[in-house]
Amino acid sequence: MLGKWLDNTVEHVTRRQARLTSRRSLLSRFGLLVIGAGFAPLLPVFRAGAFAEAPGIPEEGDPNHCSYWRYCAMDGYLCGCCGGSATSCPPGTVVSDITWIGTCRNPADGKHYVISYNDCCGKSACGNCGCQRDEGDTPLYRPQNSNNVNWCAGSQADVPYHCSLAVVIGVKE
Amino acid sequence: MLGKWLDNTVEHVTRRQARLTSRRSLLSRFGLLVIGAGFAPLLPVFRAGAFAEAPGIPEEGDPNHCSYWRYCAMDGYLCGCCGGSATSCPPGTVVSDITWIGTCRNPADGKHYVISYNDCCGKSACGNCGCQRDEGDTPLYRPQNSNNVNWCAGSQADVPYHCSLAVVIGVKE
Amino acid sequence: MKHLCCSVLVTLLALASWSHAEFTPEFATVESLPDQGGQHWFWMYGFRAPNMGDSRAFLMDERGRHLGQLNTGFWAKTVINSPQRGNIITLETYFSRGTRGERTDVVVLYDARTLAPVREVVIPPKRLNAVKTRHLAVLSEDEKFLLVVNYTPAQSVTIVDLEASAVVEEVETPGCSVLYSAGPRDYYAICANGSFLQLKIDDSGRVIARRRSDSLFDAVEDFLTISGSRIGDTWYFVSRDNNIYGITMAGDNISLKGMWPLVTDAEREAGWMIAGMEHTTAHEASGRLYVLVQQGERDDFEKPGSSVWVFDTATMEKQQEIDMQEMTMSIAVSQDEKPRLYTLDFHIPLNGLATLWMAIMEGEDSLAPLVSQRANVYDAVNGEHLLSSDMLPPGTVLGVKAW
Amino acid sequence: MKHLCCSVLVTLLALASWSHAEFTPEFATVESLPDQGGQHWFWMYGFRAPNMGDSRAFLMDERGRHLGQLNTGFWAKTVINSPQRGNIITLETYFSRGTRGERTDVVVLYDARTLAPVREVVIPPKRLNAVKTRHLAVLSEDEKFLLVVNYTPAQSVTIVDLEASAVVEEVETPGCSVLYSAGPRDYYAICANGSFLQLKIDDSGRVIARRRSDSLFDAVEDFLTISGSRIGDTWYFVSRDNNIYGITMAGDNISLKGMWPLVTDAEREAGWMIAGMEHTTAHEASGRLYVLVQQGERDDFEKPGSSVWVFDTATMEKQQEIDMQEMTMSIAVSQDEKPRLYTLDFHIPLNGLATLWMAIMEGEDSLAPLVSQRANVYDAVNGEHLLSSDMLPPGTVLGVKAW
């Protein structure tokens, strides 16, 4: 069943229930709006070379799409849509020194990897490819695993947040 | 005929020409986008008291809509949608001292009135009810009648532009 | 070189003198807010992602129309009404070059009638930049002190004396963050291990006691979210595992008043869970607690809510379910006798068939770039939907509160 | 109080050491731009209305994807490539409190490979804030001086020595504004009476001559728009009454080379007229002038264009009409041998039927809040549409230019 909000809208015109797509799927897609209603999604085109950083990690999926496996605890704009990649900051920004940590399952090998979600800092928020997923996210009083913190705090560039990376720093055997 | 841009879009789905609305009308509505794609239009509800300022001027139309007669040379956000009115700035802003001048015909009495488009300054751009109409607009090198200038320049608050008024300062007999 | 300026002024005067003898030229004026007089005004405010450098607070009137705005700098999250002072208080951050250069944090006091800034206090440039909007600063009950939560990433609290326009001191709060009031001079932060840290200040604003409580919740299996709401001396929280916690904070005393399930087993089975950002609010006089919920999956806890459930905190029984008209991120209730429930919502400015058509043909992702924001207002007693507000200019905000 | 910081770092190290022996952790890096090497990169830039305090310039690659961004402060309109310096030069304005407080105007030099600011020159806080984006500043051919157009509302020009990082002087230009280059040390402003004001500088940047020409166009009946494009020593303008003017500006000499109708009588009858904001661009080597046009009514001259007409400036004959894919506000052509035409467009992110349905059922006004912006790229020789770029984050910009 469509979400209540969509029902209400549709009802005004059709006065009937529509059964097209699951509410859960719909809401999960809207989660990414938290960090930017009206953000601009990019075409989901695979970027050659985007996986070059860690040849040991088998990869699948589009690193410029929120559904990519590394983004299971992502909350921000994907740097690959801002002039960088999943592991590199766009020109003119700096990498945040400390950040939040998540653990995501790689569908290509079934292993769980430890992901460091470093922010890129020093320019205003990119606004492209907003993505929010909250696996393992904790509240502000447990910041190490919280994606609600502006992790540019403490970086060389201070709090101006631009976009977020997903860097694999460990594997859980 | 719909504009070429709309044709192209529609063609992909329908492969036929649609004849619904005039291109001119469509483009004139899109003119207001210049000062804010994605701006938020308000409901066109008449504001009681909005006309109280000059009881001598017969009025008709909605002062919170771009089609209102006084806005014939408007380029900006209508202050009536920002906490002010067509002749009053929203709280916390200041009126620009000098500004551009237009001459608009009042449909209620057929007379032409001289309009001073004072800007309200000192807060960031309101973003509501963007409106661009260019009757009598001149280029930047003839600023007196140019709506392309940020008229907050020289105001007490300097260039931070918030919204624009349409104040009747004269009538042409 | 004033001659252009003067020539324009002369033109203005000339035009005015062309006028018909009986014509009276209008004059531009500046509004002040009308007497608030118990009207249901409310704020929508926040960082306006991705325009974080242009944070704003939008004041809306009883009919949901724009009354005015505050400009609150970079990644601003705090708007506090200070009725005794006649001020609105904000926390603002600026960089000398917008997004680079020297950082300055200020407490700004706005005149509550003119919405113009009247005074500011420069504070250490350390305030926490978070996605959430509440409990990042607390105004003392007498409106004399403002306590500001810092994160650099060292955790601390800055105490500001608003009368003296001066910083009193900065105290470390290692392992603890956000702040809740527990009386005139007592405040509690939540700590990572499930305990609370008390900060007690004296009448000069200095911290005279800093004590850590026992652990009051399971910080591993059932986190409290920070969106707490106060009724009397009890703060009500919800938890990640969908329980309601009542934690009494009264001066030096802090204790767990109780823990109740937010959802029944059947509701849990059906996927009912917490939702959104500021997902609790309370009406103190009636003792009613409002919680924003949704049907979702485990990690959806910050996704938009579809319903607000109302609990009587005397019995902890659910009294009411209010269906949301749109996708709700944050909720707030006014404290008067005919309270309003304000919801900060995502809104798709398409009609139903166009929405459906886009969702089917282009996929639901295609709707995301279309979404804007506005508030909806409900009768907080009977749940009736009263109105939808003006839309906001583009840029996501997450805060809503009553005047 | 660094212990949290350190504890996180320790955690990182601990996590890394959990790793499988053969696993190599990744490290976060920062991109530099690849060698430009003649690729068709382009900028979209401007004030991002209504987020004027968060002005930006977006650099796009050959495929229309984001390469990087500059943050350019309040109401920024100027982005200039300085290839000899290896810099991008912008004009930026800041207020000490975002939208209030002390104003500072700066010329900022960015490294053209890292897009990081490397140097700035503080200039008098007077630069013209206008809706248009071009001809508000000129870089001298040797890239030593930048001339900045001011408006306070007194009109003047500030001359900046980029090598010395210093302001040389400010000269009054009463009644005249915007600037066009006429050689290594000569510049012309347009004046309200249809004449031009020459500013001649010496090798230290000081103005050594300031002369006003005769009137070269009818400043009452047929204004030039300021969107001029240069081929050799001739600047081509279009006028409000839809004529093309060629004005030769070569050192001390300025003269009207010719005036030709932009539209035939039949085209005029059909409503063809100028459109958009930056509505001319030229490919110097081929002598082709591109003009953005639309079918509209008298006062529609800044409405979006639907076609670009290409004129051979040797014969002033129209060679080509390029239909626009979307609603175009500004155009720019690259100067290489296989030139691209970049168009800055409004884009409605709905499919055709949904657009149509909304237009019919809700009225065309209903589409306005949905509109976003992106570029389209055409082959500037044969007019073929090559690609649509990424969308921009919300906020209207009006400038487009080749790298």
Side-chain angles (χ1 to χ4, degrees):
Chain A
M1 197 183 74
L2 282 169
K4 171 72 184 165
W5 63 269
L6 190 47
D7 286 354
N8 285 341
T9 317
V10 170
E11 232 174 64
H12 296 153
V13 181
T14 66
R15 296 285 166 200
R16 60 191 171 86
Q17 295 296 313
R19 297 182 151 272
L20 288 159
T21 161
S22 88
R23 169 187 168 71
R24 288 182 187 192
S25 127
L26 200 56
L27 286 188
S28 84
R29 282 154 208 252
F30 277 102
L32 49 82
L33 292 168
V34 170
I35 47 85
F39 76 95
L42 300 194
L43 296 172
V45 177
F46 180 83
R47 276 209 171 185
F51 298 140
E53 300 83 357
I57 306 171
E59 287 284 2
E60 63 181 57
D62 175 7
N64 284 352
H65 194 277
C66 192
S67 60
Y68 179 53
W69 69 273
R70 293 182 181 209
Y71 301 147
C72 75
M74 172 63 78
D75 188 357
Y77 304 105
L78 306 180
C79 290
C81 303
C82 311
S85 73
T87 60
S88 66
C89 287
T93 61
V94 300
V95 186
S96 67
D97 304 312
I98 37 177
T99 188
W100 79 105
I101 302 293
T103 304
C104 303
R105 182 179 173 279
N106 183 349
D109 62 6
K111 290 184 188 167
H112 286 80
Y113 288 86
V114 181
I115 313 284
S116 174
Y117 294 98
N118 298 76
D119 284 342
C120 301
C121 314
K123 290 183 186 276
S124 64
C126 157
N128 301 318
C129 298
C131 175
Q132 191 194 3
R133 291 166 61 189
D134 288 320
E135 276 184 39
D137 172 54
T138 57
L140 288 178
Y141 56 84
R142 296 196 59 181
Q144 304 92 310
N145 299 100
S146 177
N147 66 20
N148 272 192
V149 174
N150 178 343
W151 281 101
C152 287
S155 82
Q156 229 186 313
D158 209 332
V159 285
Y161 165 79
H162 186 60
C163 63
S164 299
L165 307 177
V167 180
V168 176
I169 57 167
V171 56
K172 288 191 167 174
E173 297 294 331
Chain B
M1 199 182 74
L2 282 168
K4 171 72 183 167
W5 63 270
L6 189 47
D7 286 354
N8 285 340
T9 318
V10 170
E11 232 174 63
H12 297 151
V13 181
T14 65
R15 296 285 168 201
R16 62 190 169 86
Q17 295 296 311
R19 298 180 151 272
L20 288 158
T21 161
S22 88
R23 170 187 168 71
R24 288 184 186 188
S25 128
L26 201 55
L27 287 188
S28 83
R29 281 152 210 253
F30 277 103
L32 49 82
L33 292 168
V34 170
I35 46 85
F39 76 95
L42 302 192
L43 297 173
V45 178
F46 179 84
R47 278 208 170 185
F51 298 140
E53 300 83 358
I57 306 170
E59 288 283 2
E60 63 181 58
D62 175 7
N64 284 353
H65 195 278
C66 192
S67 60
Y68 179 53
W69 70 273
R70 293 183 181 208
Y71 300 148
C72 75
M74 172 63 78
D75 188 358
Y77 305 104
L78 306 180
C79 290
C81 303
C82 311
S85 72
T87 59
S88 66
C89 288
T93 62
V94 301
V95 186
S96 67
D97 304 311
I98 37 175
T99 189
W100 80 105
I101 302 293
T103 304
C104 303
R105 183 181 172 278
N106 183 349
D109 62 6
K111 289 184 190 170
H112 285 81
Y113 289 85
V114 182
I115 313 284
S116 174
Y117 293 98
N118 298 75
D119 285 342
C120 301
C121 313
K123 291 183 185 276
S124 64
C126 157
N128 301 317
C129 298
C131 175
Q132 190 194 5
R133 290 167 60 189
D134 287 321
E135 275 183 40
D137 172 54
T138 58
L140 288 179
Y141 57 85
R142 297 196 59 180
Q144 304 92 310
N145 300 100
S146 176
N147 65 21
N148 273 191
V149 174
N150 178 342
W151 281 102
C152 287
S155 82
Q156 229 186 312
D158 209 332
V159 284
Y161 165 79
H162 186 59
C163 62
S164 300
L165 307 177
V167 181
V168 176
I169 58 166
V171 55
K172 288 191 166 176
E173 297 295 329
Chain C
M1 209 185 77
K2 294 279 182 192
H3 58 86
L4 172 66
C5 141
C6 295
S7 81
V8 175
L9 286 174
V10 167
T11 309
L12 288 181
L13 293 171
L15 290 170
S17 65
W18 289 355
S19 311
H20 189 278
E22 293 166 27
F23 172 81
T24 313
E26 298 173 344
F27 286 97
T29 56
V30 178
E31 298 283 346
S32 285
L33 294 181
D35 184 32
Q36 203 275 333
Q39 291 181 81
H40 289 111
W41 296 354
F42 61 99
W43 295 96
M44 292 189 273
Y45 59 99
F47 60 177
R48 297 188 66 247
N51 314 307
M52 280 83 160
D54 189 8
S55 298
R56 306 185 195 182
F58 302 97
L59 179 60
M60 315 300 284
D61 72 10
E62 178 131 335
R63 297 169 303 171
R65 311 260 180 85
H66 286 271
L67 268 177
Q69 115 183 350
L70 307 180
N71 285 105
T72 52
F74 184 87
W75 197 299
K77 289 287 187 176
T78 298
V79 176
I80 298 173
N81 278 44
S82 174
Q84 297 170 44
R85 296 190 167 277
N87 287 146
I88 312 295
I89 299 175
T90 63
L91 280 176
E92 306 183 2
T93 293
Y94 296 97
F95 290 86
S96 56
R97 295 293 178 266
T99 51
R100 56 185 196 269
E102 195 192 348
R103 172 175 168 180
T104 305
D105 285 11
V106 281
V107 177
V108 183
L109 291 87
Y110 291 87
D111 183 294
R113 291 297 283 268
T114 67
L115 299 186
V118 289
R119 191 152 56 93
E120 68 172 34
V121 186
V122 176
I123 60 173
K126 298 181 170 184
R127 70 173 184 83
L128 170 57
N129 278 210
V131 172
K132 302 280 170 72
T133 57
R134 293 184 197 155
H135 315 296
L136 306 178
V138 188
L139 183 65
S140 67
E141 291 176 2
D142 60 1
E143 302 183 3
K144 189 173 173 196
F145 300 109
L146 185 74
L147 289 82
V148 179
V149 175
N150 295 326
Y151 187 80
T152 68
Q155 291 162 310
S156 66
V157 167
T158 298
I159 300 154
V160 183
D161 183 333
L162 296 174
E163 283 175 14
S165 285
V167 172
V168 179
E169 68 175 326
E170 180 190 342
V171 290
E172 298 182 3
T173 58
C176 310
S177 192
V178 300
L179 274 185
Y180 305 86
S181 177
R185 293 285 183 262
D186 291 284
Y187 307 90
Y188 284 91
I190 311 185
C191 306
N193 69 346
S195 68
F196 285 75
L197 176 69
Q198 178 190 8
L199 293 182
K200 178 189 276 299
I201 62 174
D202 64 16
D203 285 345
S204 68
R206 299 222 157 254
V207 172
I208 50 174
R210 196 164 39 148
R211 292 186 205 101
R212 237 166 131 143
S213 76
D214 295 334
S215 178
L216 296 182
F217 64 95
D218 183 335
V220 175
E221 296 300 324
D222 196 24
F223 306 126
L224 300 192
T225 77
I226 65 167
S227 176
S229 293
R230 193 185 192 188
I231 296 179
D233 56 9
T234 301
W235 282 92
Y236 290 91
F237 295 88
V238 293
S239 67
R240 195 63 68 73
D241 200 32
N242 299 301
N243 293 302
I244 300 174
Y245 285 75
I247 296 181
T248 300
M249 304 184 201
D252 294 340
N253 301 313
I254 183 164
S255 61
L256 180 65
K257 182 180 184 183
M259 193 263 267
W260 309 269
L262 172 67
V263 291
T264 63
D265 289 347
E267 286 162 351
R268 187 181 295 271
E269 189 64 29
W272 286 102
M273 60 184 290
I274 59 171
M277 287 284 161
E278 308 302 347
H279 43 219
T280 79
T281 184
H283 186 251
E284 284 216 61
S286 63
R288 281 156 59 96
L289 176 69
Y290 297 74
V291 183
L292 180 64
V293 296
Q294 62 174 323
Q295 281 178 284
E297 287 164 10
R298 186 177 157 69
D299 295 318
D300 290 346
F301 48 85
E302 284 182 356
K303 299 288 193 298
S306 60
S307 187
V308 168
W309 290 357
V310 190
F311 294 84
D312 178 354
T313 53
T315 62
M316 288 315 292
E317 272 174 27
K318 183 163 66 179
Q319 295 187 315
Q320 205 169 349
E321 297 183 356
I322 304 174
D323 283 345
M324 298 287 97
Q325 298 288 312
E326 300 191 284
M327 294 178 284
T328 299
M329 289 308 295
S330 297
I331 60 175
V333 151
S334 65
Q335 296 302 324
D336 53 318
E337 284 180 15
K338 295 184 175 177
R340 295 283 185 269
L341 172 65
Y342 306 107
T343 67
L344 177 64
D345 296 343
F346 290 121
H347 164 70
I348 299 181
L350 293 182
N351 64 27
L353 273 189
T355 307
L356 208 56
W357 181 249
M358 285 296 292
I360 298 166
M361 299 303 292
E362 313 292 325
E364 289 158 9
D365 277 357
S366 72
L367 297 174
L370 305 175
V371 170
S372 29
Q373 286 187 294
R374 65 180 181 184
N376 281 284
V377 181
Y378 302 80
D379 183 314
V381 175
N382 65 22
E384 184 191 352
H385 180 252
L386 300 175
L387 59 95
S388 301
S389 81
D390 289 344
M391 279 199 271
L392 297 184
T396 301
V397 298
L398 295 169
V400 65
K401 68 194 294 285
W403 171 260
Chain D
M1 209 183 77
K2 293 280 183 193
H3 59 86
L4 172 67
C5 143
C6 296
S7 81
V8 175
L9 286 175
V10 168
T11 309
L12 287 181
L13 293 172
L15 289 170
S17 66
W18 290 355
S19 310
H20 189 277
E22 293 168 28
F23 172 80
T24 312
E26 297 173 344
F27 285 97
T29 57
V30 178
E31 299 283 347
S32 286
L33 294 181
D35 184 30
Q36 203 275 333
Q39 292 181 81
H40 288 110
W41 295 355
F42 61 99
W43 295 97
M44 292 189 273
Y45 60 99
F47 60 178
R48 299 188 63 247
N51 314 307
M52 280 83 160
D54 189 7
S55 298
R56 306 185 195 182
F58 301 97
L59 178 60
M60 315 301 284
D61 73 9
E62 178 131 334
R63 298 168 302 171
R65 312 260 179 86
H66 286 271
L67 269 178
Q69 120 183 344
L70 307 179
N71 285 106
T72 52
F74 184 86
W75 196 298
K77 289 288 188 174
T78 298
V79 176
I80 298 173
N81 279 45
S82 173
Q84 298 170 44
R85 297 190 167 277
N87 287 145
I88 312 294
I89 299 175
T90 63
L91 280 177
E92 307 183 0
T93 293
Y94 295 98
F95 289 87
S96 56
R97 295 293 180 268
T99 51
R100 55 185 195 271
E102 195 192 348
R103 172 176 170 180
T104 305
D105 285 11
V106 282
V107 177
V108 183
L109 290 87
Y110 291 87
D111 183 295
R113 291 297 283 268
T114 67
L115 299 186
V118 290
R119 192 151 55 93
E120 68 172 35
V121 186
V122 175
I123 60 174
K126 298 180 171 184
R127 71 173 184 83
L128 171 57
N129 278 210
V131 172
K132 302 280 171 72
T133 56
R134 293 184 198 155
H135 315 297
L136 306 179
V138 188
L139 183 64
S140 67
E141 290 176 2
D142 60 3
E143 303 183 3
K144 189 173 173 196
F145 300 109
L146 185 74
L147 288 83
V148 179
V149 175
N150 296 326
Y151 187 80
T152 66
Q155 291 161 311
S156 66
V157 168
T158 298
I159 300 154
V160 183
D161 183 332
L162 296 175
E163 284 175 13
S165 284
V167 172
V168 179
E169 67 175 325
E170 180 189 342
V171 289
E172 297 181 3
T173 57
C176 310
S177 192
V178 299
L179 274 186
Y180 305 87
S181 176
R185 293 286 183 262
D186 291 284
Y187 306 90
Y188 283 91
I190 312 186
C191 306
N193 69 346
S195 67
F196 285 74
L197 176 69
Q198 179 190 7
L199 294 183
K200 179 188 276 297
I201 62 174
D202 65 15
D203 285 343
S204 68
R206 299 221 158 255
V207 172
I208 50 174
R210 195 163 40 146
R211 291 186 206 100
R212 235 164 135 145
S213 76
D214 293 335
S215 179
L216 297 182
F217 64 94
D218 184 335
V220 176
E221 296 299 324
D222 195 25
F223 307 127
L224 301 192
T225 78
I226 65 168
S227 176
S229 293
R230 192 185 192 187
I231 297 179
D233 57 9
T234 300
W235 282 92
Y236 290 91
F237 295 88
V238 293
S239 67
R240 195 62 69 74
D241 201 31
N242 299 301
N243 294 301
I244 300 174
Y245 285 74
I247 296 181
T248 300
M249 303 185 201
D252 294 341
N253 301 313
I254 184 165
S255 61
L256 180 65
K257 182 180 185 181
M259 193 264 268
W260 309 269
L262 172 68
V263 291
T264 63
D265 288 349
E267 287 162 350
R268 187 180 295 270
E269 189 65 28
W272 286 102
M273 59 184 290
I274 59 170
M277 287 285 162
E278 309 301 349
H279 43 220
T280 80
T281 184
H283 185 250
E284 283 216 61
S286 64
R288 280 155 61 95
L289 176 70
Y290 297 73
V291 182
L292 180 63
V293 295
Q294 63 174 321
Q295 281 178 285
E297 285 165 11
R298 184 177 158 69
D299 296 317
D300 290 347
F301 48 85
E302 285 182 355
K303 298 289 193 295
S306 59
S307 186
V308 168
W309 289 357
V310 190
F311 293 85
D312 177 356
T313 53
T315 62
M316 288 316 292
E317 272 173 27
K318 182 162 68 178
Q319 294 187 315
Q320 206 169 347
E321 297 183 356
I322 304 174
D323 283 346
M324 297 288 96
Q325 297 288 312
E326 301 190 285
M327 295 178 283
T328 300
M329 289 308 294
S330 296
I331 60 175
V333 151
S334 65
Q335 296 303 322
D336 54 317
E337 284 181 13
K338 294 184 175 179
R340 296 283 185 268
L341 172 65
Y342 306 107
T343 67
L344 176 64
D345 297 341
F346 290 121
H347 164 71
I348 299 181
L350 292 183
N351 65 27
L353 274 190
T355 307
L356 209 55
W357 181 250
M358 284 297 292
I360 297 167
M361 298 303 292
E362 313 294 324
E364 289 157 8
D365 278 356
S366 73
L367 297 173
L370 305 175
V371 171
S372 33
Q373 285 187 295
R374 65 180 181 184
N376 281 283
V377 182
Y378 302 81
D379 183 315
V381 175
N382 65 23
E384 184 191 353
H385 180 252
L386 301 175
L387 60 94
S388 301
S389 81
D390 290 344
M391 280 199 270
L392 297 184
T396 301
V397 298
L398 296 169
V400 65
K401 67 193 295 284
W403 171 260

